[in-house]
Amino acid sequence: MTPPDRPVPAAPPITAADVASARLHFGFPAVVADGPGRGVWWQERRPHEKGRTALVRRSPDTGPDGHAPAVEPLAPHWDAVTRVHEYGGRSYSLLPDGSVLFVHRSDQRIHRADPDGTVRPLTPAPSPGGPGVRYADLTPGPGAEVWCVREVEGEDVSVRSLAAVPLDGTAADDPAAVRTLASGADFYACPAVSPDGGTLAYLAWDHPRMPWDGTELRLARIGPDGALTGTRVLRGGPAESVLAPLWRDDGSLYAISDASGWWNLWLLAADGSTARALFPAEEEFAEPPWQLGDRPYGVLADGRLAVLHGRGPLRLGVLDPDTGTLRDVELPYDCWSGGIAVAGTTVAGIADGPRLPRSVLAVDIVSGGYRVLARQADRLPPAALLPEPSELVVRGASGTPVSAYVYAPTGPLPPPPDGAPPAASAKPPWVLWAHGGPTGFAGPGLDLGKAYFTSRGIGVVDVNYTGSSGFGRRHRDRLRGRWGAADVEDVVAVARELVGAGLADPGRIAVRGGSAGGWTVLAAITAYDVFGAGVSYFGVSSLRTLGAETHAFESRYAYELVGSYDPAEYADREPLERADRIRCPVLLIQGLEDPVVPPAQSLRFAEALADRGLPYAYLPFPGESHGFRDRANIAACYEAELSFYGQVFGFVPADVPRLPLVNGD
């Protein structure tokens, strides 16, 4: 690496309001080729509506601006969010008559919205003081039912199953009308009915595994009464992650398996007689399924498959299952995430690029043309303010290659406080970002959150530490037993590379992350003196209480990552146990309704910082959960973070309020 030039931008820096306004979150596309509801559908979480998730449809018909206006079938008081596994997923399904099935956030009931605007519940109302019942992965069944994943959250235990819900609304008043299809496993996903309606394929797995560790692809016959019989395991087990089953015909189906060490696409005979990898490669054809309902491939009209694939970032390609040939679709949007939807020759999905905001795209595979149906930001800041990512690869934990994306500053650092001398070094401060998961992935797509800092003279490096997805199972599994060690070694290696390359000065590097990335932050600043500041968004600080405090989906995950269920062994790894070693200021940001990393995790760490007499700030946000949804809160977080860096690194941003620090300035 060579030290970057730092041009002075001709426009004001990007504001926190700009960042918050561009935090639209798109997901779970669907395509309807003909009939009622024709067009591309998706979920859209809106910060400007306090995080409400709307359902949006755009038809393929041409309007005055090149395409028809967006249509929203649900009134603004509906919030289409499922909370199964807390991370949720696809919250809607489309019926042939144009009706929409969806789950509403506040009551978690399935509702049916008919084309005439009538909305009625299909599942029972929650009983006061009773267990919470949630639904996800809605799939039209072979009869007049919707088949789905059902989660019953009790006070002491939660139970998941596959269930069948009548479409006529009878279950709204009679809970017994909801039929249980399959039960006994800890988790279920991806119900898929064969074309003849005779067989159900689905995924199941048990604690302590996560779905990227090991799942079973099960098949069951569907009887005349809709009951399942003869259930058997077709593929998978404790050491094989099988994802996204999709029927090819009544006797065979596609699925993604990492049996080779990479999530590749396979064709499986339903009777178990044959199994063939369609394109064996050291590439991933899927992402870790943190949410339910995504499928990273689909069948085109001519039998070929539209797929997402790659090593690191995923791109759109077309795979011929008969010849095994794969070609990429040439598009300026080359970083795809989540799932895609396919109908005829149309592929819909979510993608971005280094200079292109995340967008909903409709691609015609035959012509290669595409339309942008929605984008996070309709107007981008001047190009001079947008950082251009460059990939950096360093040797991390145990010599493992670690990929990171470097975003050099695009603007000058604000001046020091009045009367203070200029910074001793002309080198800018840097912030290392540690993504969540920890199976997440940091791609090179445009993020105005990074540009917010680079436009103000702060460099950003996004690190794909050991355990990140996109680099095969072996890379993911290297973190098992070493969480809080290997990931920390990796971010430290990147920080030292910045110093060694002449880009940064020791002490002028911060580390920042959310959720599992927050754990990495807190673990790093309690183990090394490399960082001058730490910022944790709803980060894990202690394992001793996490299993009892967090939700069922991840209740065993952290212990598997650390490699022990013995609390006596956590002292050498837990940030909270090592808080007396911290030498730098810390900013803690926490949603008070977070069921994944409860507020106590941040609050206890704040108390430890107070006992140490270190400068810190603890910012709790009422109404926010795991990942912030409200525009005002998102903007407030970025302004607080910038003020924090200013106080630590000796500059004064002119347009943000000063963040009060406890026990120091």
Side-chain angles (χ1 to χ4, degrees):
M1 292 187 301
T2 57
D5 294 329
R6 296 170 58 199
V8 177
I14 296 166
T15 68
D18 295 332
V19 177
S21 296
R23 275 294 187 265
L24 279 172
H25 181 82
F26 307 122
F28 305 99
V31 182
V32 178
D34 297 299
R38 188 169 67 108
V40 175
W41 294 71
W42 65 90
Q43 293 175 205
E44 185 172 296
R45 190 176 70 210
R46 298 171 171 172
H48 59 283
E49 296 183 22
K50 297 189 177 299
R52 182 181 82 92
T53 296
L55 298 182
V56 183
R57 175 177 68 89
R58 228 165 190 160
S59 80
D61 303 318
T62 300
D65 61 348
H67 48 73
V71 175
E72 297 184 30
L74 304 180
H77 65 276
W78 295 111
D79 192 358
V81 173
T82 172
R83 289 187 56 197
V84 170
H85 298 178
E86 294 300 349
Y87 291 107
R90 182 181 295 273
S91 63
Y92 74 103
S93 184
L94 306 174
L95 299 180
D97 68 354
S99 299
V100 181
L101 308 179
F102 70 98
V103 177
H104 180 50
R105 176 189 292 274
S106 65
D107 60 16
Q108 289 298 289
R109 303 171 79 182
I110 301 175
H111 298 259
R112 176 172 178 161
D114 291 326
D116 64 1
T118 302
V119 178
R120 51 199 168 101
L122 298 187
T123 53
S127 56
V133 183
R134 307 166 177 175
Y135 304 87
D137 236 349
L138 311 182
T139 304
E145 296 175 321
V146 56
W147 289 13
C148 57
V149 175
R150 177 178 57 184
E151 180 177 65
V152 180
E153 282 284 340
E155 183 175 343
D156 299 318
V157 66
S158 59
V159 177
R160 279 150 294 279
S161 61
L162 291 181
V165 177
L167 293 174
D168 61 7
T170 55
D173 299 314
D174 180 12
V178 178
R179 296 190 301 117
T180 297
L181 296 169
S183 62
D186 289 332
F187 301 98
Y188 293 89
C190 302
V193 179
S194 61
D196 65 359
T199 308
L200 178 69
Y202 62 91
L203 301 179
W205 68 96
D206 293 315
H207 279 310
R209 299 192 303 273
M210 300 298 284
W212 44 88
D213 296 326
T215 60
E216 292 180 348
L217 172 56
R218 299 179 181 180
L219 300 186
R221 294 297 303 169
I222 302 173
D225 59 353
L228 302 184
T229 61
T231 302
R232 57 192 171 87
V233 177
L234 179 65
R235 183 92 197 200
E240 180 184 0
S241 172
V242 183
L243 307 176
L246 178 64
W247 289 91
R248 177 177 181 171
D249 50 44
D250 294 329
S252 63
L253 66 164
Y254 299 109
I256 290 173
S257 166
D258 70 353
S260 68
W262 296 81
W263 272 317
N264 285 182
L265 195 54
W266 290 65
L267 177 62
L268 310 173
D271 61 6
S273 59
T274 60
R276 175 169 59 92
L278 300 180
F279 190 81
E282 291 188 347
E283 292 188 359
E284 303 279 44
F285 283 71
E287 298 175 322
W290 281 95
Q291 296 183 301
L292 295 173
D294 260 335
R295 182 172 282 110
Y297 69 97
V299 181
L300 296 161
D302 60 6
R304 294 180 300 162
L305 303 175
V307 300
L308 300 183
H309 73 106
R311 188 168 184 151
L314 301 184
R315 55 193 182 277
L316 179 65
V318 177
L319 173 61
D320 189 322
D322 297 322
T323 65
T325 56
L326 173 64
R327 71 169 181 84
D328 287 337
V329 180
E330 297 298 328
L331 296 167
Y333 292 84
D334 52 6
C335 301
W336 292 66
S337 59
I340 58 175
V342 179
T345 63
T346 299
V347 177
I350 317 298
D352 58 19
R355 292 299 184 98
L356 295 169
R358 185 156 298 182
S359 303
V360 181
L361 303 180
V363 181
D364 187 284
I365 293 298
V366 174
S367 68
Y370 70 93
R371 291 185 298 129
V372 177
L373 304 181
R375 55 173 61 89
Q376 282 187 330
D378 286 325
R379 293 183 179 180
L380 292 179
L385 293 179
L386 301 180
E388 189 72 36
S390 61
E391 188 174 14
L392 167 69
V393 178
V394 303
R395 290 288 170 182
S398 304
T400 303
V402 174
S403 169
Y405 289 100
V406 178
Y407 300 82
T410 57
L413 197 67
D418 290 341
S425 172
K427 297 172 185 175
W430 290 80
V431 181
L432 270 58
W433 288 27
H435 60 67
T439 64
F441 170 73
L446 177 63
D447 181 354
L448 289 189
K450 297 184 180 73
Y452 175 72
F453 295 112
T454 61
S455 72
R456 295 162 182 273
I458 302 171
V460 173
V461 185
D462 217 349
V463 184
N464 283 308
Y465 52 80
T466 298
S468 303
S469 62
F471 306 98
R473 178 164 190 139
R474 186 179 178 189
H475 189 78
R476 295 198 310 273
D477 286 351
R478 281 195 184 103
L479 192 61
R480 297 181 66 84
R482 299 207 65 213
W483 190 43
D487 50 328
V488 170
E489 292 170 24
D490 290 348
V491 296
V492 167
V494 172
R496 287 173 171 164
E497 178 67 19
L498 291 177
V499 174
L503 297 180
D505 285 326
R508 282 173 65 81
I509 304 174
V511 60
R512 165 253 219 220
S515 190
W519 157 278
T520 301
V521 168
L522 300 179
I525 62 176
T526 56
Y528 291 87
D529 289 334
V530 171
F531 299 103
V535 178
S536 169
Y537 282 79
F538 35 86
V540 176
S541 69
S542 172
L543 297 179
R544 294 174 186 269
T545 57
L546 182 64
E549 293 173 339
T550 191
H551 60 143
F553 180 58
E554 290 183 271
S555 60
R556 312 272 186 93
Y557 186 34
Y559 306 117
E560 290 288 302
L561 288 170
V562 170
S564 172
Y565 282 74
D566 183 0
E569 297 185 20
Y570 298 157
D572 290 337
R573 202 79 62 85
E574 277 195 349
L576 187 61
E577 287 293 311
R578 305 186 310 212
D580 60 332
R581 306 181 196 176
I582 300 175
R583 301 290 184 271
C584 67
V586 182
L587 171 59
L588 302 167
I589 296 175
Q590 178 71 50
L592 292 183
E593 295 184 10
D594 190 338
V596 178
V597 180
Q601 291 282 322
S602 292
L603 185 57
R604 293 189 193 110
F605 203 81
E607 292 168 348
L609 292 169
D611 291 341
R612 289 274 296 130
L614 287 171
Y616 79 95
Y618 169 61
L619 298 183
F621 284 84
E624 291 288 3
S625 182
H626 197 68
F628 287 13
R629 300 179 294 118
D630 181 79
R631 179 169 59 182
N633 292 340
I634 294 170
C637 288
Y638 274 87
E639 290 183 342
E641 195 175 344
L642 180 62
S643 175
F644 177 70
Y645 295 142
Q647 295 177 62
V648 173
F649 295 131
F651 64 88
V652 181
D655 59 341
V656 302
R658 181 179 173 83
L659 173 69
L661 297 184
V662 178
N663 293 330
D665 288 319

